[in-house]
């Protein structure tokens, strides 16, 4: 028996396909099971009820969506290096929607009308999650991605896993059981249902009506993290939050432990700065008020001193004027008194006569009465020898 190498077998297959005229310039109809474009190169899969066909179109200018029924024209090629048979598509035309996608749209419309997608019924995701329950295959890369990201962001996060098939005949029931299990588990804060990307057939379990209704009545926040960002399932619309990828779901439900610590530090520094600034502001206000009060006091004292000085000056002026006026009046009185002063008259040669220290009157005098004659510098004792009443009385005094 002849032994072939892998390269030899691949070359034989390639020659057979390249020389088969029936595989050149052919038209193939089918439903788009997957579709993506990278640098104008479209990679997609055609399907019918039983089989799949990998396709590629270079210089693709039209984007289609999963579930579209299309007709493609091109050639079947076999690539030995990858050991892969591919339909090289030259043209692609839409001819409607596939049966599976129509079923998806029909169920989506039905559940939406019943209110299963309403935003008002969705449960908010807690800001701080301490534990999550993940419903997925424990052997898949999806679980490891979730664990790596969640643990890196928050090492204290508890992660519980419910092992469930995410593709195939038993997937729907196991996913439902996983959601129900975590919904009744007290230790779980949030539930994540996750799987990687795939064709519309691969994601069929997540378009199941029973699964959608279980997700709707779930009492805990439920996140759908199924497929890639461009993949949409019924579970995405029913869930409380749709994550574009499983890795994104891990980031959405976990707070960054280091960010929290840094935020606390930043808040502390900000608080310290604010307190210092507030204290400085208060001190500046106190200093300003003190200076303002001091200036006001000095101004008031200065004004009052000026007023007092003016008052004193006014009083002094009034007192001096009063003294001058009083002195002038006193001098006048003194001059008047001086003129009326008996001593002054006595100095001029006049004398004062009294009898027994009483002023005399001719009516009470008699001959031989003794009288006193007061001159400026002496007192003379005299006796009345005679009393003559005339126009001008003459009194002779005998010494």
């Amino acid at each position: 028996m002849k032994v072939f190498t892998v390269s030899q077998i691949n070359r034989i297959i390639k020659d057979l396909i390249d020389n088969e005229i029936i595989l050149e310039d052919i038209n193939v109809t089918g439903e788009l099971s997957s579709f993506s474009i990278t640098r104008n190169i479209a990679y997609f899969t055609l399907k019918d009820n039983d089989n799949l066909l990998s396709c590629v179109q270079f210089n693709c200018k039209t984007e289609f969506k999963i579930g579209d029924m299309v007709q493609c024209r091109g050639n079947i090629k076999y690539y030995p290096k990858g050991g892969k048979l591919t339909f090289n598509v030259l043209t692609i035309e839409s001819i409607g929607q596939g049966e599976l996608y129509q079923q998806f749209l029909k169920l989506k419309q039905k559940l939406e009308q019943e209110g299963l997608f309403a935003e008002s019924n969705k449960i908010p995701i807690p800001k701080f999650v301490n534990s999550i329950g993940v419903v997925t295959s424990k052997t898949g890369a999806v679980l490891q991605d979730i664990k790596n990201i969640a643990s890196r962001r928050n090492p204290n996060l508890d992660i519980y896993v419910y092992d469930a098939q995410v593709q195939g005949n038993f997937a729907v029931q196991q996913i439902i059981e996983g959601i129900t299990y975590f919904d009744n588990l007290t230790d779980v804060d949030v539930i994540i249902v996750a799987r990687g990307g795939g064709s519309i057939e691969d994601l069929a379990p997540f378009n199941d009506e029973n699964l959608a209704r279980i997700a709707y009545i779930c009492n805990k926040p439920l996140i759908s993290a199924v497929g890639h960002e461009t993949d949409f399932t019924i579970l995405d619309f029913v869930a409380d939050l749709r994550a574009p990828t499983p890795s994104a779901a891990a980031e959405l439900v976990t707070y960054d432990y280091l960010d929290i610590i840094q935020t606390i530090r930043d808040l502390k520094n900000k608080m310290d700065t604010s307190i210092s600034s507030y204290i400085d502001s208060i001190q500046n206000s106190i200093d300003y008020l003190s200076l303002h009060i001091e200036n006001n006091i000095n101004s008031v004292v200065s004004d009052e001193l000026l007023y007092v000085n003016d008052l004193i000056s006014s009083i002094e002026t009034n007192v001096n004027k009063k003294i001058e006026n009083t002195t002038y009046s006193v001098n006048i009185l003194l001059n008047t008194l001086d003129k009326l002063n008996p001593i002054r008259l006595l100095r001029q040669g006049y004398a004062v006569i009294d009898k027994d220290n009483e002023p005399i009157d001719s009516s009470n005098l008699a001959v031989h009465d003794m009288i006193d004659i007061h001159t400026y510098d002496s007192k003379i004792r005299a006796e009345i020898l005679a009393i003559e009443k005339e126009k001008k009385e003459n009194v002779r005094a005998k010494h």
Side-chain angles (χ1 to χ4, degrees):
M1 181 182 292
K2 185 175 180 180
V3 178
F4 295 90
T5 64
V6 173
S7 296
Q8 289 173 331
I9 291 297
N10 277 349
R11 173 58 61 182
I12 292 172
I13 296 173
K14 177 175 174 55
D15 289 340
L16 289 173
I17 292 176
D18 288 347
N19 293 320
E20 184 59 58
I21 297 176
I22 197 173
L23 298 178
E24 294 183 2
D25 196 19
I26 58 175
N27 291 300
V28 180
T29 61
E31 180 181 343
L32 286 177
S33 178
S34 64
F35 190 93
S36 63
I37 293 180
T38 304
R39 297 187 181 90
N40 292 331
I41 302 176
Y43 300 92
F44 54 96
T45 304
L46 288 178
K47 66 175 284 291
D48 56 19
N49 291 334
D50 300 312
N51 295 284
L52 301 173
L53 177 62
S54 296
C55 306
V56 62
Q57 183 184 18
F58 299 95
N59 195 26
C60 178
K61 297 181 180 179
T62 305
E63 187 169 349
F64 295 86
K65 62 180 180 294
I66 296 173
D68 286 348
M69 285 294 293
V70 296
Q71 178 174 301
C72 302
R73 184 179 66 86
N75 305 299
I76 299 296
K77 294 294 181 181
Y78 183 79
Y79 296 94
K81 287 187 176 181
K84 185 176 181 181
L85 186 144
T86 302
F87 183 27
N88 281 11
V89 176
L90 300 176
T91 63
I92 179 171
E93 296 179 358
S94 176
I95 58 175
Q97 294 178 335
E99 182 180 354
L100 195 59
Y101 188 69
Q102 287 178 347
Q103 293 175 358
F104 167 80
L105 292 179
K106 185 177 180 180
L107 179 59
K108 178 176 179 291
Q109 183 180 12
K110 174 185 175 182
L111 298 180
E112 186 173 14
Q113 289 176 347
E114 291 183 20
L116 270 69
F117 303 164
E119 289 294 328
S120 58
N121 295 328
K122 297 188 182 300
I123 304 172
I125 307 301
K127 186 174 182 179
F128 297 102
V129 174
N130 296 315
S131 61
I132 59 175
V134 182
V135 180
T136 191
S137 172
K138 68 178 182 180
T139 60
V142 166
L143 178 59
Q144 197 58 46
D145 290 343
I146 292 176
K147 284 184 175 181
N148 290 340
I149 293 175
S151 299
R152 172 175 54 81
R153 289 174 60 82
N154 183 9
N156 299 318
L157 182 71
D158 293 327
I159 302 176
Y160 301 91
V161 180
Y162 189 94
D163 184 23
Q165 292 185 20
V166 290
Q167 184 175 337
N169 296 331
F170 302 102
V172 172
Q173 185 58 36
Q174 291 183 8
I175 295 170
I176 289 176
E177 291 173 355
I179 293 175
T180 304
Y181 172 76
F182 285 133
D183 194 24
N184 295 320
L185 190 62
T186 306
D187 295 335
V188 169
D189 297 328
V190 175
I191 302 172
I192 298 177
V193 179
R195 72 147 284 161
S199 65
I200 191 171
E201 294 80 20
D202 296 335
L203 303 180
F206 302 93
N207 291 322
D208 183 82
E209 182 175 353
N210 292 329
L211 174 60
R213 296 190 182 280
I214 291 297
Y216 178 73
I217 63 174
C218 182
N219 295 312
K220 290 184 179 178
L222 189 146
I223 298 176
S224 175
V226 178
H228 300 301
E229 187 170 359
T230 55
D231 297 327
F232 281 90
T233 66
I234 295 296
L235 183 63
D236 292 334
F237 299 107
V238 179
D240 299 304
L241 180 66
R242 184 239 177 190
T245 63
S247 299
E251 291 194 12
L252 288 171
V253 299
T254 56
Y255 58 88
D256 195 321
Y257 182 75
L258 296 179
D259 281 350
I260 294 295
I261 293 177
Q262 186 60 46
T263 300
I264 292 174
R265 289 174 179 170
D266 291 343
L267 288 174
K268 180 181 179 300
N269 293 335
K270 186 176 180 180
M271 182 177 66
D272 291 342
T273 302
S274 297
I275 291 175
S276 297
S277 177
Y278 180 74
I279 292 175
D280 291 341
S281 176
I282 293 297
Q283 186 61 52
N284 290 336
S285 297
I286 292 174
D287 293 341
Y288 172 78
L289 288 174
S290 298
L291 181 61
H292 183 68
I293 292 172
E294 184 178 353
N295 290 337
N296 284 342
I297 291 175
N298 291 336
S299 176
V300 171
V301 171
S302 178
D303 291 343
E304 292 300 322
L305 285 176
L306 182 62
Y307 172 75
V308 170
N309 289 334
D310 290 343
L311 188 60
I312 292 173
S313 177
S314 176
I315 292 173
E316 288 179 347
T317 301
N318 290 334
V319 169
N320 290 334
K321 186 174 181 180
K322 189 70 174 178
I323 292 173
E324 290 178 359
N325 292 337
T326 302
T327 301
Y328 178 76
S329 299
V330 169
N331 288 334
I332 292 175
L333 290 174
L334 288 175
N335 289 333
T336 303
L337 290 174
D338 184 59
K339 291 179 180 179
L340 298 175
N341 189 352
I343 295 175
R344 183 171 180 271
L345 294 174
L346 293 176
R347 284 180 177 175
Q348 294 177 355
Y350 292 93
V352 177
I353 302 172
D354 61 42
K355 174 183 176 184
D356 298 328
N357 294 326
E358 294 291 336
I360 62 173
D361 188 349
S362 60
S363 60
N364 59 3
L365 290 177
V367 177
H368 302 299
D369 284 344
M370 296 300 295
I371 60 175
D372 293 321
I373 301 171
H374 300 275
T375 65
Y376 172 71
D377 56 358
S378 61
K379 176 180 179 182
I380 302 171
R381 186 77 171 168
E383 180 183 354
I384 297 176
L385 298 180
I387 298 174
E388 295 179 0
K389 292 183 179 183
E390 296 178 352
K391 289 183 180 182
K392 187 177 180 179
E393 294 181 357
N394 292 321
V395 178
R396 293 176 59 194
K398 183 179 180 181
H399 295 283

